[in-house]
């Protein structure tokens, strides 16, 4: 299977960086969002990301030119000739379902299709496509920030064909990622491990055992983590953290019950870097 033209749906932090890594790998990448001006802003932000990366030596100088591989698209109607389409909108099954219903009409029959969901069953999401498309559908769970994190969980659904899994893993490797195959269970593998840690970290704060700052330091210096759990929640937002834990709680019961403190922060809008305040205070840019 040849994958040349890629479509990414969703120009938020995850979707835009997924688009970036494939553009840097030489693919023509279409990017769209429900809010049209968000795509232009995302591409502008990616340009600044590349500038910083070049300064740190993370990207070759010619990488900036490859940003031209990104093509803004006004709607999903432009995705009819894409070989691989990746949905990367926020974690809401109803929103994802509507996107797949539209792509089911637009995409060519042989197109490979995936979701970047972090917790929703791939088999459930595949049910929003016609049965004949489900062999070409799977999960590709990237990790944030996508431009730096190497891992991709590749998750086949109940009807996913083996050659679809192999094609997805191959195109991820070609883009510099390391894919691992994971069974289609709620939360997959890494998020179940991660959120068990996050829930326990918040409990330690609720019990007064240590502060978020000290727990972050402990995880970085004692466990070798690149960022602490509270720094990570502030990066991905407390709202998303809570959404994922609610999905895990529904699937697995009390062991993934979100803490009252996390619920308070999310409801108050203390989302982390995005808002300037979360578990830590951040200078808004």
């Amino acid at each position: 299977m040849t994958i040349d033209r890629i479509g990414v749906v969703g120009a938020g932090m995850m979707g835009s960086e997924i688009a970036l890594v494939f553009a840097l790998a030489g693919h023509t990448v279409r990017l769209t969002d429900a809010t049209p001006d968000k795509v232009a802003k995302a591409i502008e932000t990616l340009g600044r990301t590349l500038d910083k990366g070049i300064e740190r030596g993370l990207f070759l100088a010619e990488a900036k030119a490859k940003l031209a591989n990104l093509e803004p698209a006004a709607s999903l109607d432009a995705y009819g000739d894409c070989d691989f389409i990746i949905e990367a909108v926020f974690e809401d099954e109803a929103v994802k379902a509507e996107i797949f219903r539209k792509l089911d009409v637009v995409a060519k029959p042989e197109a490979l299709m995936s979701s970047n969901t972090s917790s929703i069953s791939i088999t459930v999401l595949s049910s929003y496509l016609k049965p004949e498309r489900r062999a070409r559908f799977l999960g590709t769970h990237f990790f944030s920030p996508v431009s730096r994190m190497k891992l991709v969980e590749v998750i086949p659904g109940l009807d996913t064909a083996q050659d679809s899994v192999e094609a997805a893993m191959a195109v991820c490797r070609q883009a510099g990622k390391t894919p691992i195959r994971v069974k289609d269970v709620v939360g997959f593998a890494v998020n179940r491990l991660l959120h068990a840690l996050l829930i326990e970290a918040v409990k330690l704060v609720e019990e007064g055992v240590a502060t978020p700052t000290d727990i972050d330091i402990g995880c970085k210096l004692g466990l070798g983590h690149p960022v602490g759990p509270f720094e990570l929640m502030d990066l991905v937002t407390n709202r998303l953290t809570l959404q994922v834990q609610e999905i895990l709680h529904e699937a697995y019961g009390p062991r993934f019950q979100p803490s009252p403190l996390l619920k308070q922060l999310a409801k108050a809008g203390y989302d982390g870097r995005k808002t300037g305040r979360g578990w830590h205070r951040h200078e808004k840019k």
Side-chain angles (χ1 to χ4, degrees):
M1 184 189 311
T2 299
I3 294 177
D4 180 20
R5 193 177 301 277
I6 294 175
V8 178
V9 185
M13 179 174 64
M14 289 298 293
S16 61
E17 289 223 343
I18 290 170
L20 175 64
V21 298
F22 284 112
L24 291 177
H27 294 278
T28 299
V29 184
R30 294 220 175 98
L31 181 63
T32 193
D33 195 273
T35 307
D37 64 345
K38 193 172 182 178
V39 177
K41 290 179 181 177
I43 294 175
E44 182 182 338
T45 300
L46 292 176
R48 291 196 296 269
T49 299
L50 280 179
D51 286 336
K52 292 176 183 177
I54 291 168
E55 289 171 8
R56 293 195 302 266
L58 296 177
F59 297 93
L60 299 174
E62 60 265 25
K64 195 69 179 284
K66 291 185 178 179
L67 200 60
N69 289 336
L70 273 175
E71 298 178 351
S75 72
L76 296 179
D77 292 335
Y79 284 49
D81 62 348
C82 289
D83 304 305
F84 184 21
I85 303 172
I86 305 167
E87 170 273 310
V89 303
F90 55 93
E91 203 72 347
D92 185 308
E93 185 179 329
V95 175
K96 293 176 185 291
E98 183 61 23
I99 288 168
F100 288 123
R101 289 190 186 103
K102 291 178 180 177
L103 288 172
D104 207 1
V105 176
V106 171
K108 59 186 181 182
E110 66 273 24
L112 187 65
M113 208 175 294
S114 78
S115 174
N116 181 56
T117 180
S118 59
S119 56
I120 302 171
S121 165
I122 299 304
T123 300
V124 170
L125 290 177
S126 74
S127 70
Y128 299 109
L129 297 168
K130 290 192 291 286
E132 54 268 29
R133 276 200 187 272
R134 295 173 190 173
R136 314 285 296 151
F137 181 81
L138 72 169
T140 49
H141 180 213
F142 292 79
F143 290 79
S144 183
V146 182
S147 56
R148 298 178 65 183
M149 299 291 279
K150 294 290 188 182
L151 183 67
V152 182
E153 288 181 308
V154 176
I155 310 103
L158 184 64
D159 298 317
T160 307
Q162 177 60 26
D163 64 345
S164 297
V165 176
E166 292 169 358
M169 296 183 89
V171 75
C172 287
R173 289 191 189 100
Q174 193 264 336
K177 301 303 177 187
T178 301
I180 61 172
R181 179 171 178 153
V182 177
K183 185 179 178 181
D184 183 23
V185 295
V186 176
F188 314 130
V190 175
N191 259 356
R192 282 175 61 177
L193 292 169
L194 171 62
H195 283 275
L197 171 68
L198 298 182
I199 288 168
E200 192 62 28
V202 177
K203 284 181 181 177
L204 289 171
V205 172
E206 288 179 325
E207 294 168 7
V209 175
T211 66
T213 297
D214 286 340
I215 292 170
D216 281 345
I217 292 171
C219 286
K220 287 187 286 187
L221 300 186
L223 300 178
H225 293 184
V227 296
F230 296 98
E231 292 172 325
L232 181 59
M233 285 187 280
D234 275 1
L235 177 63
V236 303
T237 75
N238 286 309
R239 176 183 52 81
L240 179 58
T241 301
L242 178 59
Q243 284 179 331
V244 173
Q245 288 181 11
E246 287 173 338
I247 292 169
L248 293 171
H249 181 224
E250 182 179 359
Y252 301 114
R255 62 187 165 128
F256 285 107
Q257 183 170 356
S259 74
L261 184 54
L262 174 62
K263 291 180 179 179
Q264 286 177 351
L265 265 67
K267 188 173 182 178
Y270 296 160
D271 250 357
R273 290 186 179 276
K274 185 177 180 179
T275 60
R277 182 175 179 183
W279 298 100
H280 304 289
R281 290 184 181 270
H282 308 271
E283 183 180 346
K284 291 185 71 175
K285 295 181 180 179

